[in-house]
Amino acid sequence: MPGKLKAKIVAGRHLPVMDRASDLTDAFVEVKFGNTTFKTDVYPKSLNPQWNSEWFKFEVDDEDLQDEPLQITVLDHDTYSANDSIGKVYIDIDPLLCSEAATVISGWLPIYDTIHGIRGEINVLVKVDLFNDLNRFRQSSCGVKFFCTTSVPRCYRAVLVHGFVEELVVNEDPEYQWIDRIRTPRASNEARQRLIFLMSGELQRKIGLKVLEMGGNAVVGYLQCFDLEGESGLVVRAIGTACTLEKISTFPATATHPSNSSPSKDMKDSPQAAPSTLGCRSTHSSPVHSASSRLSQGFSVSVPTLLFAGMKPRHRSSEAPRARQCRPGFGEEAPGVPLSSGPPTPLRAQTFSSFSPSKSYSRQSSSSDTELSLTPKTVGIFQCPSTPALDSESSPLPSVHLPCHLRPVMSSRSTTPPLLHISQSDTAMLRKSVSFSEELMLAASGMGSGGSVGKEAGPLKALLRQQTQSALEQREYPFFTLTAFPPGFLLHVGGVVSARSVKLLDRIHNPALGNTRSYKLLDWNSFAADEPETRDAWWEEIRQEIKSHAKALGCHAVVGYSESTSICEEVCILSASGTAAILSSRFMQDGPPDTEHRLSRQPLCVFSTGSERVEGDMGSSASLGFEEVVSPGCGFCHIPYDELNIPFPAQLTYCYCCRRYKVPDVLFTTIDLPNEANVTGKGCLIQARLCRTKKKAQGEGNATAISSLLPFLEYELHTQLMNKLKLRSMNALFGLRIQISVGETMLLGIASATGVYLTALPSPGGIQIAGKTPSDITYEQHISTMQKKINDTIAKNKELHDINPPEVVEEIIGSPIPEPRQRSRLFRSHSESSDEVSELDLSHGKKDAFVLEIDDTDAVEDIHALLTDSPTPAGFYSCNTEIMPGIQNWTSAIQMFTSVRVFRLNANLTNQGLNKIFSDLCENLLKSLYFKLRSMVPCCLCHLNFTVAIPEDELIQVAVTAVAMSFDKEQPLENGKQSGEKTLIKAVTENDEQLQFNLELNAETSSSNPRSSPKGLSEVGSHLSARDRCSSWIEQLKLKAHTIRRGSVKTTSSLEKASPLPEGRSRSLRSDRSYSGSSVAVVKMTPLSFIPGAKIIKYLGIINMFFIRETSSLREEGGVSGFLHTFIAEVFAMVRAHVAALGGNAVVSYSMKECVFMENPNKNQAQCLINVSGDAVIFVRESELDSTLVQTQSATTHPSNGGEGT
Amino acid sequence: MSVELDVFVGNTTIMDKEVYQLWLNGYTVNDAVKVRIEGGVMEECEASAEVLLSDTMDQYRTFQMCERLLHHPAKLANQLLFQIPPDRQAMLIERYYAFDDSFVREVLGKKLSKGTKKDLDDVSIKTGIMLKSCRRQFDNFKRVFKVVEELKGPLVENIRQHFLLPDPLARDYAAIVFFANNRFETGKKKLQYLTFQDFAFCAGQLINNWTVGAVDNMMEDMDVDLDKEFLQDLKDLKILITDKDLLDQHKSLVCTALRGKTNVFNEMEANFKNLSRGLVNIAAKLINAKDVRDFFIDLVEKFIEPCRSDKLTSIDVNLYLTHYTNSAHILDTFKHHTVWTRYMGVIKSCILRMYHD
């Protein structure tokens, strides 16, 4: 009984009229947790009742605390008939269970009814007294922090990254229970909402347990999804990355303190978790083979394994560098290309060497530690003499370490197994490394006959084989849901790996059907135990596939990993994708808390804060310190695979940055652009859209049809992406997200990514069109006009995105090589200077042009489609990554939005017709967004996240969530004038903006990004068009300014400019002027992990909410649009209210995971389910930060109050 | 292919002032799109008609959802559904409660009842204001009326607090409520030349001087009704015209004061008894509700028209009324000085305002 939950019901307001006669309401409240219910008194005849109840106390298990929501029901008392429900509030108390998150939930929360929507608000107070449970066999995982953010959260630093955690829970869907036929829609919806709340809680708890097992204390990149499988049930699954995070102290005085305390905390955590590790692990593990035998019960078509195994592995394994995939007959290569152990070997070495410190505090360990920190410096030095050329080209890591450290470590490990259990984190580390070695083992065995075994790998092999036996039993995936990494973590990127599988959903043979226990979650070990395992097995298959793809790319890890499903009737497509990568072992090690170690880690720690773009000098100094450690801005582009055994056709060249390592000609990834990456110009959103018709079918036939369509769909999406990338003269895609949605009669595919020009990669050649029949003159002409059009577009795009790749200076290559590191420096500075005199490079002839063959009408259509993508209007940029490469100086004006459209198609459309419609749909949606947000210009739509669905036949649903962020043009000359103008536009567009300090920001960016300052200048100098655009924008602004009436807005902005008041105060001043009564705090929402111009000082916990809304008076509520509009607004309102109640003033990493909309216009009915998530945070404006720091040394609550203001 | 559903929701609710005005003016979505196209937004932002239609529909929907809240502006500030910056909220409210002078002229002083509402289509045709907009304005009047009718304390302040309106607008509403409550006749042909602002000014004078609240802020009465006691006392002023001596004495005093100061002195002298009778009769009859309604028409018929036919300028009228008021205090037998001052102060400023040269 380790927890006491206390709740107090204070008051209500804006309640609906429940008694027609008096136009009033007699409201009371039921507070329920688990099976305990309390009631308040009836507050008669009021729409604004003041209950001011006592504290209701629930004494509960922490397990229940994690699983259950606090359920508050507001009712209207009725003497004669049953009490009418007004609505409910579900409160997730999870944030209160973590000492570092929120401490109290207090505030006005909307009372929600699934039929009527929000009906007034209720003011509640919720607290939790948690007794520490040190029971090693506990089932709860209180205290594990969850973050939706897919990077290291802003006020933390990653001490360790443990790896992949996943879990899923299954239940039957209340909507499909027999009882649903007799209960009201309201009851049914509420049952569903509650169930999903419970399931999410349980899921989170179980994931938390796994994290504790691994020795971590947080899950980053937590991604939870629902599969509404209809009659076969409801699956809630989640993946994430287990980490050990450490809070960064913002106060310089105490800066050293946390680093001192944290290792001891780790130590404290580990002993309690370690024993349960072993116990739990075994109970959970579901062997692959048993699962697969179960699989055979139902029909299953697994695309990757069954269909493609021998055919087109590159299709999925290597989406990235597919420049030549258009050529016919690429399938001659064997799947699972054996790989040389050259590249991976040094890594293994690193991994193992990292063991030594954790196991013994010996001289050896410390020496290896220091060497680790030195490692990158020594790269060049060691490289030449000792390793074969092959290695040196593909891996910048020192393979030299191998002989000295690896062997002793290995032997010590195999001889002293008990050492494995020393500490929990150690065990986790072990498992990690074991899985690596397993990979290597597989690779090695795969090589067997033909592979060129590296010199070092030979002696290793025998040792590794011993490990592998046990390693094979571990089911560990080297996957990371992160998309942004602490600098130095990501070494190389191989390319996108993805796998899809088509499954038939089987019915649940569930004895609980109709049982009174239907609400209770099914127990793993009882009757339904096979259910989750089946789903587990499905995902396991996919993950294995992904893993093997990554391996084929010479990578040991998959980053930016995500999973998704699309369900139509009983067919389900499971998809997983990620980016194959090689990671540094730096964050995967554990070290003794000795001073030396900490010292060596110090720059690292600082640097994790450096990942904050908004951070000031701290980041820049860190980057200075790091320059020597990481290969600057191009390292991640270097190929991780063996040049001689490229797993797919790609063209390799020497890196255009450092000239030392090979890079592919195109790079596709699912991650965010690394901060340190060298980019030329700006990026842009690139989207491939595809629609394919499909015959209506049932069951197996349907599944087969879909799985045979999938590869073509995916192939074409990639072709489109590649074409569009070339057309924009770019050479890399980041944040690639391919979604395939299945309907009864069609398949939809949408691939979105942010295209950029990576300086390290070769300049993309143009697109050349080749006809099949050169004899025809008119045809020739047609082709040449088309060619001209394409060339024009490319030139225009280059200008639009400021792509002026530095002309490669040949002499560099020929010049004598002094010292590797220095050389790269030299080159970089050279490229900077050459930047200014660069000219537009249109010499496609020199490089291989990308050839498009027009052999039939299809191809012509394709090319037309290629050219119809309309450019973004002036002043707008768009991307689907966190921020736009090439834009730095964001203002604080942000506007998050969700837009949903549903289109009805005419029957009997051809594929081409469908394609065009679908493409237009997306384009028009984008155009609408640009128009809507025109007042924020110049701005960038960031994190544009498209989700498509086919809710029913002939309907296409597209949902977009993104954030529009304003930025300042880099115009030092007009700075003063512009900032004046800017405050105006901000006053127009934003409520709580703060004046941005231009100079500060510029200084920051120039110092942290070495290439930006000279470049910025040259940009201003050479791009008149950009300035033209900007000046026209200023004109527009002036017009705007004139339209502002009364001048009240102007005075506000000038007041802000003049007064150094903290924002909270100035805002409250403003609000005092107009209304004194406003009690609504402003809550910002953004899908990004940060808020421009502000610093996140506290994470309050995860927000994960699920709502159902139903109506039987659709027309009266304004039709489908009115209905959904209200619902989405209500969801936003509830998210904001819950964040405010936690004491927060923003939600970061917000996303709408699910938006299932169903309508039945004939019955005047509609239903919609929405699932949203994000991280509740407290932020303070950077300008306020200094003052708040001075004011309060310790309290974080103070700035929160200041931030809320109104 | 058709768009079934099209929704855009921002965390901060996006509202276009221009579209808001079109919505308030009662334009249909399609008409609003036409107006916007003519306004040139499309060229400015590289948009298509389709985009414009989608945006307009979306905005209209947002406004419709907000309308419920605008009916109780205080709610707008502490509702959770829409995150609207305070300056935007103020704009929304102010514009929602703004009205057309030409419309309000038509309904001023009329009972804010269903019957009047039914006649709004005629008003719409007459004024050229769209019926939808007429209805909104009418409903606003009615809503404000209903809320403040029962409230104690100063009328303007009540309106300002309950509807969060800026001061000038709150005063206008006070006038409308006051007129509606007392059912002043404003629609007669003779009154057509008067603007709403003229009446609003007069209403302000009446509210500030002739209601219960005007004398005693602590009185537990309302600002919307005229002070009954005062109206009763006004009867006593009749002595000024019924007592022959007093009338002559008054006349001679006024004439002495005026002589040589104006070139319409003769007309003034000739008309003195007539004008004085008119003003005092108005005062004496105000105790009857029916005569209260005719207050303005009486002022025009009994005073303004005669003056105008004698070609008095407003300076002349001012002069005349000043001396007319002051002279009464010198009269020996006239005792009702307070009532007289309270009455004539308002009458003078009303007449001056209503006296258009």
Side-chain angles (χ1 to χ4, degrees), chain A residues 13 895-896 898-902 904 906 917 924 931-932 934 991 1075 1083 1085 1121 1125 1133 1136 1159, chain B residues 1-2 4-7 9 11-12 14 16 45 50 52 54-55 58 61 77-78 80-81 83 85 90:
Chain A
R13 71 180 183 195
Q895 166 71 297
M896 193 279 297
T898 292
S899 185
V900 182
R901 281 194 185 181
V902 175
R904 184 171 290 283
N906 301 327
I917 286 169
N924 286 338
F931 182 75
K932 280 264 183 212
R934 63 193 185 282
N991 47 342
Y1075 326 103
V1083 175
M1085 290 166 80
S1121 294
H1125 194 141
R1136 285 194 301 255
E1159 58 164 327
Chain B
M1 189 186 82
S2 60
E4 283 265 305
L5 184 157
D6 181 6
V7 167
V9 189
N11 183 34
T12 305
I14 293 182
D16 188 308
C45 312
E50 217 173 297
L52 221 52
S54 146
D55 179 59
D58 202 68
R61 211 166 32 237
N78 57 16
L80 301 175
L81 193 56
Q83 188 157 285

Side-chain angles (χ1 to χ4, degrees), chain A residues 1158-1172:
Chain A
M1158 287 160 285
E1159 58 164 327
N1160 190 342
N1162 298 332
K1163 285 189 176 172
N1164 206 15
Q1165 286 175 339
Q1167 191 194 36
C1168 187
L1169 295 82
I1170 287 184
N1171 175 220
V1172 294

Side-chain angles (χ1 to χ4, degrees), chain A residues 192-441:
Chain A
R192 246 177 144 186
Q193 279 191 171
R194 188 176 132 72
L195 179 73
I196 288 188
F197 249 112
L198 277 171
M199 289 171 79
S200 320
E202 185 191 337
L203 192 68
Q204 218 167 306
R205 173 172 59 80
K206 294 197 162 171
I207 293 242
L209 274 173
K210 288 191 171 180
V211 172
L212 288 178
E213 253 173 60
M214 296 168 106
N217 63 5
V219 182
V220 180
Y222 185 67
L223 175 74
Q224 185 193 288
C225 295
F226 299 97
D227 298 332
L228 301 168
E229 293 188 354
E231 301 210 343
S232 64
L234 205 158
V235 178
V236 186
R237 57 193 163 77
I239 55 175
T241 307
C243 294
T244 302
L245 297 184
E246 201 172 84
K247 204 157 169 49
I248 298 168
S249 171
T250 41
F251 313 110
T254 54
T256 49
H257 185 68
S259 55
N260 271 331
S261 63
S262 81
S264 62
K265 196 185 71 200
D266 284 352
M267 296 301 277
K268 191 192 75 197
D269 275 357
S270 12
Q272 50 168 312
S276 68
T277 297
L278 301 165
C280 261
R281 199 70 217 164
S282 59
T283 55
H284 176 76
S285 68
S286 59
V288 182
H289 46 142
S290 72
S292 60
S293 71
R294 210 168 276 119
L295 259 176
S296 60
Q297 287 174 357
F299 176 84
S300 97
V301 184
S302 164
V303 179
T305 50
L306 297 186
L307 269 158
F308 294 131
M311 280 168 52
K312 303 169 182 171
R314 294 139 237 82
H315 230 14
R316 264 153 290 103
S317 70
S318 56
E319 290 165 49
R322 298 179 55 228
R324 305 287 189 66
Q325 288 251 326
C326 307
R327 289 187 323 186
F330 53 84
E332 70 264 3
E333 268 175 287
V337 178
L339 99 154
S340 133
S341 60
T345 310
L347 253 157
R348 231 97 299 147
Q350 286 250 312
T351 319
F352 288 125
S353 67
S354 73
F355 271 110
S356 46
S358 56
K359 240 170 273 142
S360 60
Y361 303 81
S362 67
R363 179 202 53 80
Q364 189 195 19
S365 74
S366 61
S367 75
S368 84
D369 248 341
T370 45
E371 266 185 46
L372 257 177
S373 64
L374 282 172
T375 297
K377 281 186 201 161
T378 59
V379 170
I381 302 164
F382 277 111
Q383 180 198 357
C384 309
S386 66
T387 50
L390 193 142
D391 268 314
S392 70
E393 272 160 7
S394 51
S395 154
L397 282 172
S399 32
V400 195
H401 277 283
L402 238 142
C404 14
H405 283 297
L406 184 65
R407 272 179 246 175
V409 172
M410 291 298 293
S411 60
S412 81
R413 208 181 123 194
S414 49
T415 50
T416 56
L419 278 175
L420 294 180
H421 304 293
I422 281 184
S423 82
Q424 169 53 22
S425 32
D426 195 0
T427 340
M429 217 25 257
L430 255 177
R431 204 180 305 131
K432 180 95 265 145
S433 65
V434 162
S435 75
F436 286 170
S437 62
E438 168 202 352
E439 258 172 84
L440 178 67
M441 203 50 236

Side-chain angles (χ1 to χ4, degrees), chain A residues 13-14 108 110 118 121 873-874 895-906 917 924 927-929 931-934 955 987-988 990-991 1036 1044-1046 1049 1074-1075 1077-1085 1120-1122 1124-1126 1128-1130 1132-1133 1136-1137 1157 1159, chain B residues 1-14 16-19 21 36 41-42 44-48 50-52 54-56 58-59 61-62 64-65 68 73-91 93-95 164 166 168:
Chain A
R13 71 180 183 195
H14 306 158
W108 290 101
I118 290 179
E121 292 124 37
Q895 166 71 297
M896 193 279 297
F897 58 86
T898 292
S899 185
V900 182
R901 281 194 185 181
V902 175
F903 281 67
R904 184 171 290 283
L905 305 168
N906 301 327
I917 286 169
N924 286 338
K927 276 184 203 158
S928 274
L929 298 182
F931 182 75
K932 280 264 183 212
L933 299 160
R934 63 193 185 282
L955 283 188
V988 175
E990 260 280 333
N991 47 342
Q1036 226 172 301
I1044 299 172
R1045 276 179 42 165
R1046 307 174 67 86
V1049 182
S1074 38
Y1075 326 103
S1078 172
S1079 58
V1080 182
V1082 173
V1083 175
K1084 293 211 172 202
M1085 290 166 80
V1120 284
S1121 294
L1124 193 63
H1125 194 141
T1126 317
I1128 294 176
E1130 282 170 345
F1132 282 8
R1136 285 194 301 255
F1157 180 75
E1159 58 164 327
Chain B
M1 189 186 82
S2 60
V3 182
E4 283 265 305
L5 184 157
D6 181 6
V7 167
F8 177 100
V9 189
N11 183 34
T12 305
T13 308
I14 293 182
D16 188 308
K17 282 186 191 173
E18 189 204 350
V19 185
Q21 199 55 57
R36 293 184 81 185
V41 211
M42 255 161 63
E44 210 177 291
C45 312
E46 307 170 34
S48 65
E50 217 173 297
V51 166
L52 221 52
S54 146
D55 179 59
T56 312
D58 202 68
Q59 299 262 357
R61 211 166 32 237
T62 311
Q64 264 153 31
M65 286 160 73
R68 184 173 58 82
K75 270 191 189 169
L76 195 64
N78 57 16
Q79 51 86 32
L80 301 175
L81 193 56
F82 299 102
Q83 188 157 285
I84 307 169
D87 59 320
R88 282 268 131 160
Q89 288 183 18
M91 183 279 288
I93 295 167
E94 189 179 338
R95 292 213 183 170
L164 306 172

Side-chain angles (χ1 to χ4, degrees), chain A residues 560-769:
Chain A
Y561 180 74
S562 67
E563 294 175 347
S564 64
T565 57
S566 170
I567 296 171
C568 177
E569 303 285 303
E570 73 276 89
V571 176
C572 173
I573 302 182
L574 312 182
S575 311
S577 72
T579 306
I582 291 185
L583 300 176
S584 151
S585 57
R586 179 169 296 143
F587 288 94
M588 301 196 227
Q589 65 186 333
D590 194 16
D594 61 324
T595 46
E596 190 185 0
H597 183 81
R598 208 176 62 240
L599 274 176
S600 73
R601 218 160 56 182
Q602 204 62 31
L604 242 186
C605 304
V606 179
F607 206 66
S608 70
T609 68
S611 69
E612 282 186 62
R613 290 164 197 93
V614 287
E615 195 130 359
D617 40 356
M618 217 172 161
S620 61
S621 70
S623 73
L624 274 176
F626 228 84
E627 205 135 327
E628 307 168 347
V629 182
V630 190
S631 28
C634 66
F636 73 95
C637 308
H638 303 156
I639 52 162
Y641 37 84
D642 177 8
E643 191 188 351
L644 298 178
N645 289 305
I646 308 173
F648 45 82
Q651 220 177 14
L652 302 180
T653 43
Y654 279 104
C655 172
Y656 276 60
C657 272
C658 65
R659 286 273 149 199
R660 276 162 49 208
Y661 303 107
K662 292 278 177 95
V663 293
D665 50 353
V666 189
L667 186 63
F668 284 16
T669 74
T670 58
I671 55 172
D672 270 342
L673 184 72
N675 276 334
E676 64 273 17
N678 288 344
V679 175
T680 306
K682 296 195 175 67
C684 72
L685 180 77
I686 292 181
Q687 216 168 42
R689 304 134 184 160
L690 205 64
C691 221
R692 278 283 169 270
T693 50
K694 168 185 93 65
K695 283 212 180 71
K696 244 186 191 163
Q698 293 290 313
E700 295 183 20
N702 199 16
T704 321
I706 290 168
S707 47
S708 57
L709 263 174
L710 273 180
F712 297 99
L713 205 65
E714 213 152 350
Y715 173 80
E716 279 186 52
L717 280 173
H718 282 114
T719 316
Q720 260 192 50
L721 278 178
M722 190 62 89
N723 289 349
K724 289 187 177 179
L725 188 68
K726 298 268 176 193
L727 197 67
R728 284 168 180 82
S729 194
M730 294 173 179
N731 56 20
L733 286 182
F734 286 88
L736 177 64
R737 190 167 161 268
I738 301 176
Q739 197 207 345
I740 288 182
S741 192
V742 57
E744 293 238 317
T745 57
M746 62 180 158
L747 284 172
L748 276 184
I750 186 161
S752 318
T754 303
V756 293
Y757 185 106
L758 282 178
T759 318
L761 266 50
S763 165
I767 298 176
Q768 234 161 46
I769 297 175

